[in-house]
């Protein structure tokens, strides 16, 4: 990895490579350059993040429109760190001028917890006398402290400790053997770690004590499986190959595939960021989205007992979906012909680091794209589809989130998220009542109810930046059976409600009307339907935030109060729960609520808007989810509606096509069926 | 095909093959035998259907429990036909005794419309003087009647004509050239065809006339695509191969795959029927579903003008999802290593016919099944999943429905349906207002709003036939922030409501509570969670029936009034809109409403129950859906909850697995990554 870094620095310095695309994440060299500038000016600081300060949109739009002539947006580094004494600083570095253009120290603010921050806590708890005392009370000998583990979480917010001191709460576990899954051995107390002092400042101890679980370990590793009967032996390989290569091209970080063009960015908080998504519609490159990302998420837990109300991780804003990203393995995480992209970050010391293979880009067969048979003569067309998948996986302590951005040939963009990994667990005594707030997934193991709520940030650019959002509800027509306007009672229609102001746009999902939302360019009508060109958000996994108004998570995760918020575009409004999420009290609520409140009547009709969509699932655990959870998928679609004048995939070559005259004439039929497919029986096929 | 039939007859007669499984569809030989018995007794009749009369459940359960000792259910043919004069008959034939055990003639009832029934109408309309007159009025010369086409639909119900005469309505189209898609040239009048007289008895003519479209043809065939710039050339092949064969075995029609066992049946109405679905849980074969099928569907159209209220096709009950099934092609409809099953039917003359390759059975890679990385040391497990897909595709005039029954290794059963094919269209004049009841998808072409509502019949057998259905709603806990029971306001839980009687079970979807339904065996508790073993229906595409109460489709498609009905099991209750659907008036409503009304307080707690689930989508067409529609997917899941004591897929071999001690010791890591995957760059991979 050191070698990679050196090479990257060298190629940058020799100037033989093209300048980065303005959307490109900072390279290792740029990160180190930014750190060096800070170091020179400010001395030794602890780096929290050095990331691309994204070009201002207006400037960027000009450049995208005319990259030859327009001024190229400058490369600017956005730096967050902690100065000695614990104060947070924010800085902007002009990487071309090598100057600090902004520097500010902030009080009462905590930037996210890095992997390095997390790693420290376990070492400290193992040596803390009071923690050892609690372990002994739990039934763990003091000599076994090397078997005590913790998942450090940000404290969320605890009014006893406020926001000035940087804190983590240590969710405690035990492993009888170092290879045992600790999640079957949760401990009942919760130390609070002070990152400044590097010590435990408090331990939350429940009134009812729950000694360490005496059940036998519950593992998923080969040794365990072999003991329990071994692996199944009846799975034959499926090979997926692309002997002639893939159907996409990569230029820097711009992917070109099946008329789609998209710049693949990446940052430490959101992970994958897709920019400047366009579709080449018969020679015209039509903009669709300026920027798409998963911008925030929150996982509130539903057990009302102290201190579980603090369990509501903002995995992106508090830890970073980019920072926690897995290095992916070929033929394992990803199958087929794969293009990887790495991710560059800064470490606490100001050195650049690299996650190899952070992003996986590959194609998959997508089954039937369209088909029709004429029942008269069996003339038929069958066309198979493809999809392009841009994905990453991140590990948030116990859980893993697999994020798949999927492009389809029919103009749809799909976001699929798979949840896997391990349930967060808490201890319970034999015979203890979960009271419905959790499920005993293994003897002595209580997995609490929780929600996974994601906030998708959509910056639409539907044939240009001036867009309007409509709520669309499927409703019966007016008039009962027998009325003049609806004589047979069968009328129904799509009721469209325009959101003219920010406050009008605060809306929830309505399953009864199959509610969708359309992002439209009302300045441009479809030539046939005369309706505005649009993309429709079709999302069906949209639970509301179950914690009550006024609760801590309701205050802190304001974005989750509604399924949709629409705001006018502002460059600095990227992160729905605010820029620095750990230890926010929610008073006032950061991010979307403050933007909404600051100007609720701000106009959002036919202007540059952002649609924030909160979706997800409510997870009531069951034993099937343990000791490791089979991936639970959830998905949503962004579908073109009245955007194209016809099915944009008609020119995808069919697998088989015959017309009535070919059937009649007995010739001319297109037979491009895949010659690799085989009958299981081994016999030749019948057609 | 004739040869196939002869072979099949021969093998049956020589008795060299095992007797059919009682769930097996009737073979060609059995069909011909049944027809011969009817023919001998009744003379010449028109056959509508000869299908398996499914074994009575009690008898079948006994046989399944002990196939060696228990009495083998008899093979019985269920025959429907039309005697000279037009009366419908129903008969049961004991195929072993070769006797007619039931014979009944019915008045005022119409069995479904077969493909042969459909084929006739176009020939008749082309020669009908009044139709020719209307065509001329529409601007089509009388000499061009060979360019006039019709999609015959059952009439639905029209009070002017009642149910005694067998009718079809002819949705009229024009093709400038025989290879042109007719759906861009809809005609505005609607002839009514009398199948008995074989003539047009009436034409519905709208007040506002709409001459045939003058727009240029709008096609999707190669000649058109070539003219418009040709096919895209940048799609490289993706090959999917299973060099060592597939992971499933086939014994007769029983598929054994990854602990699952399922009998794959097929009939002319429902298409695929899955019976006796079991999961081998560490040596114990646990029953889960006795029978799963798509049992009915309805496609109501939302234009209130006469006669569009009649457009609400029951594609299964009125035409037959089995009868309309496509013969599938290898490497085209299906990719990879495929096992096909054929389907045998009777034709009008009483001969057996075969749809080759009616059912496709294959495996697919399913991406990551589970993954977890320990952030401390990067010890990791990645296990890839598989799925087994049992599918068929049927063509209902303009539309195609692709039905995929998908089995997962984690115990879930998924139903995915893709809609493709062509929109049903109606003519519109230039400048005409669609009034919101449809969309102009091409000049002069109005595609009306419609819904696709499917009824999934679930006969659960969760560790035995005595099951109970619970409605599950995700709800906040009682008490506001600061209350004793919910001090922090974060409490939430799964509220379970037991359905004790049939009428209690009539329920709708609730998006606000992420409503699901659990089928539970309350006699058996999960050893860890102490909750009943269950399967949960997770379905999110659940629009209500938009036509009003009292409307024709509301009366006829009673099953669609609620998302869920639960009934006590009765052998004869299979078809939710009744046995003979065409020309039912809905007075009284057939199928589910009559069963519910007959005994609304019938107990359904801890007994043999059936859950009927109506789901689907509301389709507001747009130009992207035309001239042929990219497949629109919808899906639902049946997931085990508290059914297994742990993740049942732990013994699926991982692709990669390392434990903390292996990381420390540097050996023992499992690396079973697929060696076929490649980097796009061609470079060796980094890991
Ligand atoms: Co979860
Ligand atoms: Co449709």
């Amino acid at each position: 990895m050191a070698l990679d870094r050196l090479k990257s620095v060298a190629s940058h310095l020799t100037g033989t490579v093209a300048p980065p695309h303005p959307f490109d994440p900072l390279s290792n060299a740029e990160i180190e350059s930014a750190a060096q500038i800070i170091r020179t000016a400010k001395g030794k600081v602890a780096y929290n993040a050095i990331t691309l300060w994204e070009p201002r949109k207006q400037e960027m739009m000009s450049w995208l429109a005319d990259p030859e002539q327009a001024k190229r947006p400058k490369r600017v580094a956005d730096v967050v760190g902690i100065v000695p004494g614990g104060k947070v600083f924010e800085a902007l570095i002009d990487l071309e001028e090598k100057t600090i253009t902004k520097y500010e120290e902030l009080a009462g603010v905590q930037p996210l917890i890095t992997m390095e921050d997390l790693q420290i806590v376990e070492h400290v708890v193992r040596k803390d006398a009071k923690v050892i005392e609690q372990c002994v009370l739990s039934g763990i000998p003091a000599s076994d402290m090397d078997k005590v583990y913790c998942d450090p979480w940000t404290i969320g917010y605890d009014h006893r400790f406020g926001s000035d001191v940087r804190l983590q709460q240590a969710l405690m576990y035990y492993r009888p053997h170092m290879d045992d899954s600790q999640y079957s051995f949760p401990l009942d107390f919760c130390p609070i770690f002070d990152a400044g002092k590097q010590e435990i400042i408090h331990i939350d101890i429940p009134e009812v004590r729950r000694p360490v679980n005496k059940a036998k370990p519950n593992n998923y590793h080969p040794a365990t499986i072999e003991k329990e009967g071994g692996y199944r032996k009846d799975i034959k390989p499926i090979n997926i190959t692309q002997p002639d290569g893939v159907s996409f091209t990569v230029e820097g970080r711009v992917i070109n595939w099946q008329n789609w063009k998209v710049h693949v960015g990446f940052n430490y908080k959101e992970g994958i960021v897709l920019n400047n998504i366009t579709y080449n519609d018969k020679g015209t490159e039509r903009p669709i989205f300026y920027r798409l990302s998963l911008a925030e998420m929150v996982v509130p837990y539903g057990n009302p007992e102290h201190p579980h109300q603090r369990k509501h991780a903002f995995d992106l804003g508090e830890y970073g979906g980019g920072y926690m990203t897995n290095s992916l393995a070929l033929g394992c995480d990803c199958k087929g012909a794969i293009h990887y992209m790495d991710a560059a970050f800064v470490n606490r010391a100001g050195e650049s680091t690299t996650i190899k293979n952070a992003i996986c880009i590959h194609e998959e067969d997508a089954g039937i794209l369209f088909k029709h048979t004429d029942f008269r003569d069996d003339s038929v067309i069958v066309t198979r589809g493809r999809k392009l998948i841009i994905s990453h996986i991140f590990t948030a302590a116990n859980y893993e989130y697999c994020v798949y951005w999927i492009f389809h040939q029919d103009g749809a963009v799909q976001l699929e998220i798979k949840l896997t990994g391990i349930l967060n667990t808490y201890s319970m005594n034999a015979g203890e009542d979960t009271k419905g707030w959790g499920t005993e997934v293994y003897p002595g193991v209580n997995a609490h109810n929780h929600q996974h709520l994601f906030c998708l940030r959509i910056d639409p650019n539907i044939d240009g930046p001036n867009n309007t959002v409509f709520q669309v509800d499927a409703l019966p027509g007016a008039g009962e059976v027998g009325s003049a306007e609806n004589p047979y009672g069968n009328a129904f229609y799509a009721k469209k409600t325009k959101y003219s102001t920010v406050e009008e746009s605060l809306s929830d999902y309505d399953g009864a009307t199959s509610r969708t939302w359309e992002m439209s360019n009302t300045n441009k009508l479809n030539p046939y339907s005369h309706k505005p060109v649009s993309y429709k958000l079709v999302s069906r996994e949209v639970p509301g935030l179950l914690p009550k108004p006024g609760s801590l998570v309701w205050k802190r995760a304001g974005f989750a109060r509604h399924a949709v918020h629409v705001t006018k575009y502002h460059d600095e409004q990227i992160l729905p729960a605010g820029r620095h999420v750990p230890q926010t009290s929610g008073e006032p609520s950061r991010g979307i609520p403050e933007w909404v409140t600051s100007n609720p009547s701000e106009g959002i009709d036919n202007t540059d808007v952002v649609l924030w969509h909160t979706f997800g699932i409510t997870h009531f655990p069951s034993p099937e989810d343990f000791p490791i959870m089979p991936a639970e998928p959830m998905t949503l679609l962004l579908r073109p509606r009245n955007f194209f004048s016809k099915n944009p995939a008609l020119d995808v070559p069919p697998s088989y096509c015959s017309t009535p005259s070919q059937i009649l004439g007995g010739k001319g039929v297109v037979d491009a069926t895949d010659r690799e497919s085989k009958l299981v029986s081994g016999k030749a096929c019948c057609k």
Side-chain angles (χ1 to χ4, degrees), chain A:
Chain A
M1 222 175 264
L3 191 65
D4 278 321
R5 195 164 67 234
L6 288 173
K7 266 191 284 184
S8 154
V9 172
S11 71
H12 186 75
L13 295 179
T14 56
T16 52
V17 291
H21 189 291
F23 282 137
D24 281 358
L26 297 185
S27 65
N28 296 70
E30 288 174 319
I31 289 167
E32 302 218 339
S33 166
Q36 189 52 49
I37 292 163
I38 293 283
R39 199 176 288 122
T40 305
K42 304 289 169 183
K44 192 170 170 272
V45 298
Y47 293 87
N48 185 267
I50 298 182
T51 196
L52 178 71
W53 189 77
E54 294 183 24
R56 303 300 90 174
K57 190 173 185 179
Q58 203 177 358
E59 193 186 354
M60 190 64 195
M61 293 283 271
S62 306
W63 185 80
L64 287 170
D66 185 4
E68 301 302 318
Q69 301 295 324
K71 183 164 163 286
R72 188 180 192 88
K74 275 193 172 178
R75 299 290 285 173
V76 177
D78 179 352
V79 185
V80 178
I82 298 176
V83 297
K87 256 201 168 174
V88 174
F89 74 88
E90 293 186 338
L92 295 182
I93 314 283
D94 180 328
L95 289 168
E96 286 161 32
E97 307 295 332
K98 306 218 177 285
T99 54
I100 300 176
T101 57
K102 182 196 150 192
Y103 180 88
E104 198 178 348
E105 294 188 3
L106 307 168
V109 151
Q110 297 299 338
L112 59 61
I113 304 285
T114 65
M115 296 301 289
E116 285 171 286
D117 293 338
L118 290 174
Q119 297 281 7
I120 299 162
V121 186
E122 199 162 81
H123 302 289
V124 173
V125 295
R126 283 178 176 173
K127 292 185 182 132
D128 185 272
K130 289 212 165 63
V131 173
I132 296 171
E133 185 185 346
Q134 289 304 317
C135 288
V136 170
L137 277 173
S138 297
I140 299 164
S143 55
D144 271 5
M145 285 307 293
D146 59 321
K147 298 181 174 175
V148 171
Y149 291 78
C150 77
D151 283 3
W153 288 31
T154 74
I155 195 163
Y157 181 77
D158 191 313
H159 67 278
R160 296 172 297 178
F161 309 111
S163 313
D164 290 330
V165 178
R166 188 161 174 79
L167 301 171
Q168 296 180 48
Q169 54 182 323
L171 308 192
M172 302 297 297
Y173 302 94
Y174 173 70
R175 292 187 192 172
H177 178 278
M178 76 180 298
D179 287 344
D180 286 331
S181 169
Q182 73 223 31
Y183 298 99
S184 295
F185 303 96
L187 303 180
D188 68 349
F189 57 95
C190 183
I192 310 296
F193 172 82
D194 177 329
K197 294 188 186 153
Q198 302 267 306
E199 63 187 40
I200 302 304
I201 57 163
H202 179 81
I203 303 180
D204 279 316
I205 299 167
E207 281 175 37
V208 177
R209 296 311 301 264
R210 299 167 179 94
V212 65
N213 200 358
K214 294 295 176 210
K216 64 174 192 180
N218 188 12
N219 295 326
Y220 50 80
H221 287 140
T224 303
I225 306 303
E226 294 299 351
K227 234 182 289 171
E228 292 177 356
Y231 285 107
R232 51 184 87 174
K233 293 179 178 61
D234 53 354
I235 306 180
K236 305 289 172 59
I238 290 185
N239 294 333
I240 300 173
T241 54
Q242 295 198 267
D244 301 344
V246 294
S247 317
F248 57 87
T249 59
V250 185
E251 200 175 328
R253 301 183 70 104
V254 175
I255 308 295
N256 206 321
W257 177 82
Q258 297 292 296
N259 300 321
W260 287 105
K261 207 181 257 190
V262 52
H263 180 280
V264 182
F266 199 83
N267 70 46
Y268 71 114
K269 277 187 178 156
E270 298 163 285
I272 290 172
V273 174
L274 302 179
N275 264 119
N276 197 33
I277 299 171
T278 64
Y279 190 97
N280 189 321
D281 185 9
K282 299 180 193 311
T284 305
E285 206 164 277
R286 298 175 64 184
I288 298 176
F289 300 106
Y290 181 76
R291 192 180 190 281
L292 283 182
S293 70
L294 266 189
E296 191 51 277
M297 58 177 290
V298 66
V299 184
Y301 283 76
N303 187 308
E305 286 159 36
H306 184 82
H308 304 304
Q309 83 283 358
R310 281 193 322 234
K311 284 202 305 190
H312 52 261
F314 293 72
D315 290 304
L316 306 186
E318 291 188 325
Y319 307 89
Y323 272 165
M324 300 188 298
T325 282
N326 295 182
S327 177
L328 300 173
L330 192 67
C332 167
D333 295 292
C334 320
K335 212 172 149 69
I338 309 295
H339 178 75
Y340 285 116
M341 289 181 177
D342 301 339
F345 298 121
V346 70
N347 68 11
R348 171 189 289 254
E351 299 157 329
S352 81
T353 62
T354 303
I355 297 177
K356 296 295 294 178
N357 301 351
I359 304 174
C360 168
I361 301 175
H362 76 294
E363 279 182 285
E364 286 183 14
D365 179 81
I368 285 174
L369 176 60
F370 50 81
K371 175 169 191 179
H372 182 60
T373 305
D374 190 325
F375 67 87
R376 293 163 187 82
D377 56 9
D378 279 346
S379 63
V380 64
I381 186 165
V382 192
T383 301
R384 283 191 83 85
R386 265 315 158 78
K387 48 192 179 184
L388 178 78
I389 303 167
I390 303 173
S391 63
H392 73 132
I393 300 176
F394 60 92
T395 299
N398 52 302
Y399 258 106
E400 338 286 312
Y401 296 96
C402 313
V403 179
Y404 303 91
W405 295 93
I406 307 172
F407 290 80
H408 292 271
Q409 289 166 315
D410 67 358
V413 181
Q414 181 183 4
L415 172 60
E416 179 170 277
I417 300 178
K418 280 183 172 184
L419 308 184
T420 178
I422 308 186
L423 292 164
N424 171 269
T425 56
Y426 191 64
S427 55
M428 65 186 287
N429 288 320
E432 185 179 338
D433 183 0
T434 64
K435 297 178 185 162
W437 311 124
T439 301
E440 190 167 7
V441 293
Y442 187 67
V445 180
N446 186 354
H448 293 161
N449 306 337
H450 56 279
Q451 300 191 284
H452 301 266
L453 301 175
F454 302 88
C455 187
L456 169 65
R457 184 180 183 279
I458 308 174
D459 184 347
N461 196 17
I462 313 295
D463 275 333
N466 291 333
N467 294 163
T468 307
V469 178
F470 295 84
Q471 170 183 308
V472 184
D473 292 293
L475 287 177
E480 295 307 309
V481 176
S483 63
E485 68 269 45
N486 193 9
Y488 308 98
N490 67 313
F492 56 89
Y493 72 111
K495 181 180 178 189
K496 304 206 179 184
T497 308
K498 179 162 83 175
Y499 294 151
S500 294
T501 64
V502 169
E503 64 190 334
E504 280 177 19
S505 77
L506 278 46
S507 49
D508 301 320
Y509 181 61
D510 188 347
T513 66
S514 307
R515 181 167 292 167
T516 57
W517 289 269
E518 281 187 10
M519 292 158 277
S520 304
N521 187 328
T522 55
N523 311 297
K524 188 168 172 198
L525 303 184
N526 182 288
Y528 299 155
S529 68
H530 315 294
K531 296 180 184 181
V533 294
S534 303
Y535 260 71
K536 174 184 279 212
L537 168 62
V538 182
S539 178
R540 301 299 182 212
E541 294 274 6
V542 198
L545 178 69
L546 289 173
K548 297 264 161 104
S551 65
L552 184 58
V553 64
W554 183 91
K555 290 190 289 186
R556 299 185 69 219
F559 68 86
R561 292 176 204 163
H562 296 288
V564 163
H565 297 80
V566 183
T567 56
K568 187 158 164 32
Y569 179 86
H570 295 286
D571 278 321
E572 69 286 3
Q573 294 180 3
I574 299 283
L575 298 164
R579 180 162 157 88
H580 301 296
V581 181
Q583 294 174 246
T584 49
S585 66
E587 290 177 348
S589 298
R590 295 297 177 196
I592 289 177
E594 59 184 327
W595 308 328
V596 168
T597 313
S598 72
N599 192 359
S601 59
E602 187 165 25
I604 51 170
D605 181 4
N606 198 16
T607 185
D608 191 359
V609 297
V610 175
L611 189 158
W612 311 82
H613 173 50
T614 299
F615 66 99
I617 55 160
T618 302
H619 187 174
F620 299 113
S622 85
E624 285 89 347
D625 301 336
F626 206 64
I628 186 167
M629 204 174 97
E632 179 168 3
M634 90 195 71
T635 195
L636 59 80
L637 275 174
L638 296 160
R639 299 185 70 210
R641 295 274 92 185
N642 302 288
F643 186 82
F644 295 107
S645 62
K646 55 170 73 176
N647 175 347
L650 290 182
D651 65 336
V652 174
S655 291
Y656 193 92
C657 185
S658 56
T659 65
S661 65
Q662 288 165 350
I663 296 277
L664 209 61
K667 59 181 182 183
V669 165
V670 172
D671 182 356
T673 54
D674 140 26
R675 306 297 168 192
E676 299 291 327
S677 292
K678 296 264 185 309
L679 289 182
V680 167
S681 66
K683 281 184 262 178
C685 192
C686 33
K687 278 202 102 160

